[in-house]
Amino acid sequence: MLTLFHHPLVASCRYVRLSCAEYGEELQLIDEKPWLRRPELLEMNPAGTLPVLLAEGDTPIVGAGVIAEYLDETRGALMRERRLYGDDPFTRAEVRRLVDWYLVKTDNEVTRHLVRERAFKPLMTSMQGGGSPDSAAIRAARANVKPHMKYTNWLAGTRDWLAGDRLSYADLAAAAALSVLDYLGEVPWEDYRAARDWYGRIKSRPSFRPLLADRAPGLSPVSHYADLDF
Amino acid sequence: MLTLFHHPLVASCRYVRLSCAEYGEELQLIDEKPWLRRPELLEMNPAGTLPVLLAEGDTPIVGAGVIAEYLDETRGALMRERRLYGDDPFTRAEVRRLVDWYLVKTDNEVTRHLVRERAFKPLMTSMQGGGSPDSAAIRAARANVKPHMKYTNWLAGTRDWLAGDRLSYADLAAAAALSVLDYLGEVPWEDYRAARDWYGRIKSRPSFRPLLADRAPGLSPVSHYADLDF
């Protein structure tokens, strides 16, 4: 079994869990508090970031994008229509562009700020950078939710799945990011009907079930979080 | 011929130029000022970031990592030992980890801050966010040069090339980032002998020559920038 070092509210960790589940790959999960920068984690990944996958032979594979390529090369390439990339280089480029969008751009503009301020800081000591949430940072991140939801709504309204006519890594990356924001109650679904329908479809997949059972220490999810009919 | 929308001091644009040159792919270069967010650029890439490659059939391929995978799939996979990824999934994961290191981590901690403050801001109007450089941002970025140079020195001192025993995308990503910092005179080469020897080897490659001829408007490179014997 592969091992994943992760945190339940880090979008790129959720992305890897969804990807493995879609490929039928069981994971042993090890919870990390990323702000602790444990020596064992730093030895596997000198950048100290999550996720890290311990693959065959206990080789650490570092970072969501790198792990997704690894899973594609060692699993996905044999999966035909269930492959989470498309069939041709242009489709794959579009899938990768959207994965970057949700795991890098959305993360930098929205997700990680809300997670840090609302979920991590209350658990961190002042030496670790903890303390009261920075309301200016929260406001800025919240203002950025709208353009990302608009874009998701546009994609979901013009395509069957976000990157084209079948489920891909792009859907998993978007669902990973939005499910973290949804946990925090930060997604105004009622304003984005197409995005909501798409998210409902993703949320009903068996791969999503473990994420709906996630509970972050000290912070309960919004009431509709695990609701398939939200 | 492929077309690249780029800026000469954006590390990830340099990375694509080096990658194409190593694959013998000629590029038509279109200079972009990334802070202008031209409508034509936004149409190809709604994120408004560089680089964007116009590939076959004028299809835009967006972002350095995505472009590198595209080039690998359409060119590299046929190149045997000249392929810029390794031969097995683990080596490729290590190459990708290091590409992320230099184009994302180094960029976020060092490169783009120094470029913005020293090269972009003097050309930007105050409406565009221009003005005098933020000396605190410059100081913070400069303090981060050291760990990145130490890490590069360690890699260069323990491996033939940064990701293993042959030239890879990892070397091109590191060279792209460090050559931008070198242009700005921000690399204390004398303290990092192994990194310097490695950089000297990369710098002598034909693929590097066009980068050494780059001149950013209003900002000359440090005197040794184009020197192969620096």
Side-chain angles (χ1 to χ4, degrees):
Chain A
M1 198 193 302
L2 307 181
T3 301
L4 185 72
F5 294 82
H6 87 126
H7 186 285
L9 289 187
V10 168
S12 55
C13 298
R14 289 188 161 218
Y15 170 66
V16 173
R17 290 163 67 200
L18 288 171
S19 305
C20 284
E22 288 290 339
Y23 282 153
E25 194 68 51
E26 227 184 307
L27 279 179
Q28 185 193 3
L29 294 176
I30 311 253
D31 275 28
E32 286 285 335
K33 297 181 178 70
W35 60 88
L36 292 184
R37 298 175 62 83
R38 285 196 309 127
E40 190 191 350
L41 181 66
L42 286 170
E43 203 176 301
M44 293 184 295
N45 174 16
T49 51
L50 297 173
V52 176
L53 181 77
L54 266 197
E56 289 79 1
D58 284 349
T59 311
I61 312 279
V62 168
V66 180
I67 294 169
E69 299 289 345
Y70 175 80
L71 292 174
D72 181 63
E73 291 176 353
T74 56
R75 275 83 172 162
L78 310 166
M79 295 258 181
R80 296 165 180 267
E81 337 38 70
R82 286 181 49 224
R83 185 176 185 180
L84 293 166
Y85 280 132
D87 292 317
D88 68 280
F90 290 119
T91 310
R92 283 197 287 275
E94 176 65 355
V95 171
R96 290 184 177 111
R97 179 182 77 83
L98 290 173
V99 171
D100 271 4
W101 186 287
Y102 288 101
L103 297 187
V104 181
K105 186 175 167 65
T106 311
D107 211 58
N108 282 337
E109 296 174 2
V110 185
T111 327
R112 69 183 171 83
H113 302 289
L114 292 172
V115 170
R116 183 189 60 235
E117 299 302 327
R118 296 193 47 205
F120 289 178
K121 268 194 174 173
L123 304 176
M124 293 157 79
T125 66
S126 55
M127 278 287 285
Q128 293 160 347
S132 15
D134 174 343
S135 54
I138 293 183
R139 250 197 324 276
R142 278 187 177 147
N144 288 335
V145 168
K146 194 172 167 179
H148 286 277
M149 286 310 299
K150 269 183 81 169
Y151 191 52
T152 307
N153 203 56
W154 179 80
L155 290 170
T158 50
R159 301 168 172 184
D160 287 347
W161 296 93
L162 297 193
D165 52 16
R166 72 185 209 216
L167 178 82
S168 78
Y169 274 135
D171 299 283
L172 305 187
L178 296 188
S179 69
V180 169
L181 294 175
D182 192 41
Y183 186 103
L184 299 172
E186 301 281 359
V187 184
W189 290 111
E190 62 285 4
D191 303 337
Y192 305 99
R193 186 57 61 94
R196 181 188 186 143
D197 290 349
W198 159 85
Y199 188 64
R201 279 189 288 150
I202 288 271
K203 205 172 169 180
S204 310
R205 297 180 72 83
S207 63
F208 216 91
R209 218 166 291 150
L211 276 66
L212 298 179
D214 276 347
R215 291 298 174 268
L219 187 67
S220 302
V222 74
S223 60
H224 67 253
Y225 173 68
D227 233 337
L228 293 185
D229 197 24
F230 60 109
Chain B
M1 200 192 303
L2 306 181
T3 301
L4 184 73
F5 294 81
H6 87 126
H7 185 286
L9 289 187
V10 169
S12 55
C13 297
R14 289 186 161 220
Y15 170 66
V16 173
R17 290 163 67 200
L18 288 171
S19 305
C20 285
E22 288 290 337
Y23 282 153
E25 195 68 52
E26 226 184 310
L27 278 179
Q28 185 194 2
L29 293 175
I30 311 251
D31 275 27
E32 286 284 336
K33 295 181 181 68
W35 60 88
L36 292 185
R37 299 175 62 84
R38 284 198 307 128
E40 191 193 349
L41 181 67
L42 285 170
E43 202 176 303
M44 293 184 294
N45 174 16
T49 50
L50 297 174
V52 176
L53 181 76
L54 266 197
E56 289 79 2
D58 284 349
T59 311
I61 313 278
V62 168
V66 181
I67 294 170
E69 298 290 345
Y70 175 78
L71 292 173
D72 181 63
E73 290 176 353
T74 55
R75 275 83 172 163
L78 311 166
M79 295 260 180
R80 297 166 180 266
E81 336 41 65
R82 286 181 49 223
R83 187 175 183 180
L84 293 167
Y85 280 132
D87 292 317
D88 68 279
F90 291 119
T91 311
R92 283 197 287 274
E94 176 64 356
V95 171
R96 289 183 178 112
R97 180 183 76 83
L98 290 173
V99 170
D100 271 4
W101 187 288
Y102 288 101
L103 298 188
V104 181
K105 187 175 166 65
T106 311
D107 211 57
N108 282 337
E109 297 174 2
V110 186
T111 327
R112 69 183 170 82
H113 303 289
L114 292 173
V115 169
R116 183 188 60 236
E117 298 303 327
R118 296 194 46 205
F120 289 177
K121 267 192 174 174
L123 304 177
M124 292 158 79
T125 66
S126 54
M127 279 287 285
Q128 294 161 347
S132 18
D134 174 343
S135 53
I138 292 182
R139 251 197 324 275
R142 279 187 178 144
N144 287 336
V145 167
K146 194 172 165 178
H148 286 278
M149 286 310 299
K150 268 182 82 169
Y151 191 51
T152 307
N153 203 56
W154 179 81
L155 290 169
T158 50
R159 301 168 171 182
D160 288 347
W161 295 93
L162 297 192
D165 51 16
R166 72 185 209 216
L167 178 82
S168 78
Y169 274 136
D171 299 283
L172 305 187
L178 295 189
S179 68
V180 168
L181 294 175
D182 193 41
Y183 186 102
L184 299 172
E186 301 280 359
V187 184
W189 291 111
E190 61 286 1
D191 302 338
Y192 304 99
R193 187 57 61 96
R196 181 187 185 144
D197 289 350
W198 159 84
Y199 187 64
R201 279 189 288 149
I202 288 272
K203 206 174 169 177
S204 311
R205 296 180 73 84
S207 64
F208 216 91
R209 218 165 292 150
L211 276 67
L212 298 179
D214 277 347
R215 290 299 173 269
L219 187 67
S220 302
V222 73
S223 61
H224 67 253
Y225 173 68
D227 232 336
L228 293 185
D229 198 22
F230 60 110

